[in-house]
Amino acid sequence: MAGVLTSPVVWAFLPITVTWVCFAISVGDPARFIDYDWLWLLFRHMSPYFWAAFGVALSVGMSILGAAWGIFITGSSLVGAAIRTPRITSKNLISIIFCEATAIYGVIVAIILQTKISQVEPINGVYSSYAMYSGYSIFGSGVTCGFANLVCGMCVGIVGSSCALSDAQNSALFVKILVVEIFGSALGLFGVIIGIIMSGGVKWEA
């Protein structure tokens, strides 16, 4: 089951298939299963605070998911290998710290984004372009940071697992694989930097 979930076929072709089926259903029938006009109307009238809150939630939620996933992968390998080679336990805990750092990245960005949310009142039931832009910016920033840290946590977890198993066989390999793990952990910082830049122009009212 784990091999199926990590297969590139599942992650690449399944979303494409689902998208194609939905498109065929919505366009192929004259009655149209999906009313795009109504969806566009709904999209235009959605509160920017929904997008802002959604972005904050994705930033912290996806980052924590990536950290938990990485700790699960690294921790299981570390505990299993430590049964035969107890000496690897202490120094390989740094892999757990790297995984936890991805969650901290998401929390930091979520706090920054939350402080950028201001209260504005709609005019005749419609929010200004400034408010809509701010909501979309915070949403995009949260998505960028969240998904960057999700894959970063998975990357660090897999490399950390390999580091623990390699160290159990040959202690000389620890430092060499640790360098790879450090570069993998730095990937999450790219999402944090871009997320902060994207939210830099937030301005809820003129």
Side-chain angles (χ1 to χ4, degrees):
M1 184 63 181
V4 174
L5 293 178
T6 57
S7 173
V9 176
V10 175
W11 291 98
F13 293 104
L14 185 59
I16 295 174
T17 304
V18 172
T19 304
W20 181 83
V21 170
C22 293
F23 179 78
I25 292 175
S26 61
V27 178
D29 186 2
R32 289 202 307 177
F33 181 74
I34 300 176
D35 190 346
Y36 288 104
D37 295 333
W38 182 83
L39 286 179
W40 175 240
L41 180 66
L42 177 65
F43 180 78
R44 283 188 301 167
H45 288 81
M46 290 181 70
S47 171
Y49 293 106
F50 167 79
W51 297 111
F54 198 25
V56 173
L58 284 176
S59 173
V60 65
M62 301 302 286
S63 299
I64 291 176
L65 178 60
W69 202 333
I71 291 173
F72 165 71
I73 297 172
T74 302
S76 57
S77 298
L78 177 59
V79 172
I83 296 175
R84 296 292 300 273
T85 316
R87 64 173 176 79
I88 70 171
T89 305
S90 57
K91 62 181 179 180
N92 277 279
L93 287 177
I94 193 171
S95 300
I96 305 296
I97 297 173
F98 282 144
C99 292
E100 187 67 24
T102 61
I104 297 174
Y105 297 157
V107 171
I108 292 173
V109 173
I111 293 173
I112 294 174
L113 297 180
Q114 182 64 37
T115 59
K116 292 181 176 292
I117 299 177
S118 303
Q119 183 177 0
V120 293
E121 296 295 332
I123 302 175
N124 297 326
V126 179
Y127 286 95
S128 66
S129 58
Y130 289 96
M132 298 302 293
Y133 168 79
S134 299
Y136 296 147
S137 296
I138 294 177
F139 173 72
S141 176
V143 169
T144 302
C145 176
F147 280 95
N149 285 306
L150 172 64
V151 296
C152 175
M154 295 170 59
C155 171
V156 173
I158 294 172
V159 176
S161 173
S162 302
C163 185
L165 297 176
S166 300
D167 186 29
Q169 295 294 323
N170 184 358
S171 60
L173 296 174
F174 174 76
V175 177
K176 298 172 182 171
I177 301 181
L178 185 63
V179 174
V180 179
E181 193 171 355
I182 292 173
F183 280 104
S185 179
L187 295 175
L189 288 174
F190 300 156
V192 173
I193 294 171
I194 297 302
I196 293 175
I197 293 174
M198 290 177 65
S199 63
V202 169
K203 185 178 180 182
W204 288 89
E205 52 187 350

